[in-house]
Amino acid sequence: MYEVLPDRGYYDEDLKAGHITEGYAEQSYAWNDAIRKVYAYFKTERAEIEREIDEAFDCNDIKRAITGESDLYERDTEMLSTIVKYRGYMWT
């Protein structure tokens, strides 16, 4: 099994064997980390933001609700842009 390294993830064995380069390992670790953050956002964080927006509307705090919706839109855009940026790695 692969040894987990904090700076390169699961790529140490492949690096030692010469199957991949250091640059490839770093790039792969970067996309893996980014996609995990996207997953966490859509799995849990986004629902919490939506709850806060709903709560603001329920309390008739329209300014906070609109600000929350704007933040949600920006965060969604950031996450979806990350998916597009790393799409080439996801199905290979």
Side-chain angles (χ1 to χ4, degrees):
M1 196 68 195
Y2 293 104
E3 177 185 354
V4 177
L5 296 176
D7 59 335
R8 290 188 299 238
Y10 295 94
Y11 303 104
D12 192 50
E13 292 295 321
D14 288 333
L15 280 166
K16 287 179 182 176
H19 299 301
I20 61 174
T21 65
E22 183 77 30
Y24 180 84
E26 289 175 10
Q27 187 177 19
S28 294
Y29 182 75
W31 85 261
N32 193 333
D33 185 52
I35 294 301
R36 287 178 186 272
K37 288 177 182 173
V38 168
Y39 177 80
Y41 170 72
F42 282 111
K43 183 72 176 171
T44 58
E45 296 169 25
R46 190 176 195 283
E48 179 59 32
I49 295 169
E50 287 178 320
R51 274 192 292 280
E52 291 173 7
I53 293 168
D54 290 343
E55 182 182 295
F57 275 123
D58 290 345
C59 295
N60 212 17
D61 189 349
I62 304 304
K63 183 177 180 182
R64 185 171 65 126
I66 291 172
T67 300
E69 286 183 334
S70 177
D71 292 345
L72 184 69
Y73 178 83
E74 292 299 319
R75 190 87 164 118
D76 282 354
T77 300
E78 177 187 343
M79 294 297 119
L80 292 170
S81 295
T82 299
I83 291 170
V84 170
K85 179 179 179 180
Y86 291 111
R87 71 190 179 281
Y89 297 96
M90 296 172 71
W91 293 281
T92 59

